[in-house]
Amino acid sequence: MNHIVVIGSCNIDISVTADKRPKAGETIIGQKLSVSPGGKGANQAVAAAKLGANVSMVGAIGQDAYGQLMKDTLKACYIDTTYLVERADTSTGTAHITLAEGDNSIIVIAGANATVDKSLIDKAWPTIEKTDLVLVQNEIPLATIGYILKQCYDHGIPVLLNPAPAMTMPQEWLAYASYITPNEHECQALFPGLSKEAIYSLTNDRLLITLGSQGVGYVRNNQLHIVPAFKVSPVDTTGAGDTFNGAFAYAIVNGQKKEDAIRFANAVAALSVQKMGAQGGMPTLDQVKQFLAERS
Ligand code: ATP
Ligand code: RIB
């Protein structure tokens, strides 16, 4: 137990802070620039590894300084990078983030993430087939996501699908995932035009909806139950969903029941939103234990 494979994106986050978002055609003066490791895949890998999970990262970077920064970051968290491939003909993915008016807006340039294909999954299969849980998100090509879901399902390997950022995908793929973890907006994109009742019935107790400062809704017997978030003062919520997913995965592979795992992951995410950067506030297990002890 305790082994997780994350198959997903590696980005360098280039973030700027400003008082407001510029309108089309407008130039404004901002405040701060930061360049830090991110990407939904790498964020989830780091969140789980910092808690103590044994994590393997499957993904792609460019042969550039950003790629080296990403590799160093993952290695510093003892994440296995055997199947983090370096591509000579493209750059490391980047995310261009504006932090303004209490929220973020992001443009992602996929770069090497667009080369995460079936052949890389086949190459990494010896590691994937032995794992306790696979995590996958929507920042790699859709065809690869479908391939991962079907291959893992056929071989009895549980998959957590974090369908972020929002996009539609063939509904039959969803039957292959053990956990599906959209936020509210991603949930609408995943099930266009379906009623809540139809979504709950279709996903059959495998759906968890992250609700920001409200917490997380999970479906049991076709009803949504809320596990409330912890009340904190957020500084930067970039990567809150990733932190939740990495922590939830850690808790599940370490034997926690679903509702306990959600509460634990809410605590991890609450700690992380209090610091700048997607990975900047991700806590260790001891920090989470201390936080939970103070809040009980
Ligand atoms: P992102 O795309 O920025 O990673 P998301 O939209 O996928 O985020 P959210 O639903 O905003 O994810 O947040 C994920 C989880 O993080 C929440 O379910 C909650 O546990 C925690 N969280 C987010 N915002 C707050 C907050 N303001 N206070 C406490 N916890 C929060
Ligand atoms: O979920 C947050 C992440 O989304 C950022 O780290 C950024 O890289 C984008 O991919």
Side-chain angles (χ1 to χ4, degrees):
M1 294 298 269
N2 199 28
H3 186 252
I4 292 168
V5 172
V6 179
I7 310 174
S9 57
C10 293
N11 294 333
I12 296 301
D13 290 355
I14 301 162
S15 309
V16 293
T17 58
D19 291 334
K20 62 167 197 166
R21 246 162 267 284
K23 296 193 194 80
E26 187 185 18
T27 300
I28 61 168
I29 306 296
Q31 285 131 7
K32 263 195 298 185
L33 166 74
S34 78
V35 177
S36 54
K40 293 184 190 299
N43 291 344
Q44 295 180 18
V46 169
K50 282 199 79 172
L51 293 166
N54 182 5
V55 181
S56 299
M57 179 80 210
V58 179
I61 52 176
Q63 284 181 342
D64 48 26
Y66 285 167
Q68 194 56 50
L69 171 60
M70 177 57 60
K71 210 167 185 177
D72 292 346
T73 302
L74 298 177
K75 287 199 159 174
C77 295
Y78 305 102
I79 293 169
D80 164 36
T81 57
T82 308
Y83 299 108
L84 180 71
V85 294
E86 287 179 25
R87 305 296 194 196
D89 48 356
T90 183
S91 53
T92 300
T94 48
H96 303 262
I97 305 179
T98 302
L99 296 168
E101 298 160 328
D103 212 341
N104 60 47
S105 34
I106 308 180
I107 298 176
V108 172
I109 303 295
N113 297 308
T115 72
V116 176
D117 57 9
K118 292 178 186 180
S119 70
L120 179 58
I121 307 309
D122 292 343
K123 197 170 151 191
W125 192 252
T127 295
I128 297 171
E129 71 175 346
K130 284 191 281 199
T131 197
D132 301 308
L133 184 63
V134 169
L135 266 63
V136 65
Q137 319 76 25
N138 284 352
E139 285 187 334
I140 56 172
L142 192 59
T144 313
I145 297 169
Y147 186 66
I148 295 162
L149 285 164
K150 181 73 167 65
Q151 283 288 100
C152 288
Y153 183 78
D154 286 348
H155 291 84
I157 302 155
V159 177
L160 182 157
L161 168 66
N162 174 224
M167 68 174 71
T168 51
M169 64 174 68
Q171 298 273 301
E172 62 269 23
W173 290 4
L174 302 177
Y176 303 142
S178 298
Y179 304 96
I180 308 168
T181 63
N183 65 18
E184 279 179 295
H185 175 58
E186 291 148 6
C187 193
Q188 281 173 11
L190 204 55
F191 305 103
L194 286 194
S195 66
K196 279 183 183 167
E197 292 70 26
I199 295 171
Y200 298 168
S201 154
L202 183 78
T203 51
N204 194 19
D205 290 2
R206 293 170 299 123
L207 186 65
L208 278 69
I209 307 177
T210 63
L211 304 167
S213 59
Q214 303 295 303
V216 170
Y218 71 100
V219 179
R220 192 180 62 218
N221 300 330
N222 289 340
Q223 301 251 337
L224 192 70
H225 300 262
I226 305 286
V227 181
F230 290 88
K231 287 206 181 346
V232 294
S233 300
V235 171
D236 178 7
T237 60
T238 308
D242 299 330
T243 308
F244 175 85
N245 278 282
F248 178 76
Y250 165 83
I252 290 292
V253 300
N254 280 282
Q256 290 194 34
K257 296 241 163 33
K258 196 196 287 180
E259 189 169 346
D260 295 337
I262 295 172
R263 184 170 183 273
F264 173 85
N266 277 347
V268 180
L271 279 164
S272 115
V273 299
Q274 294 176 73
K275 300 253 172 72
M276 283 298 290
Q279 298 177 12
M282 288 174 180
T284 62
L285 188 58
D286 282 347
Q287 289 168 328
V288 183
K289 283 182 177 164
Q290 192 185 337
F291 178 80
L292 284 170
E294 285 163 7
R295 299 288 176 128
S296 63

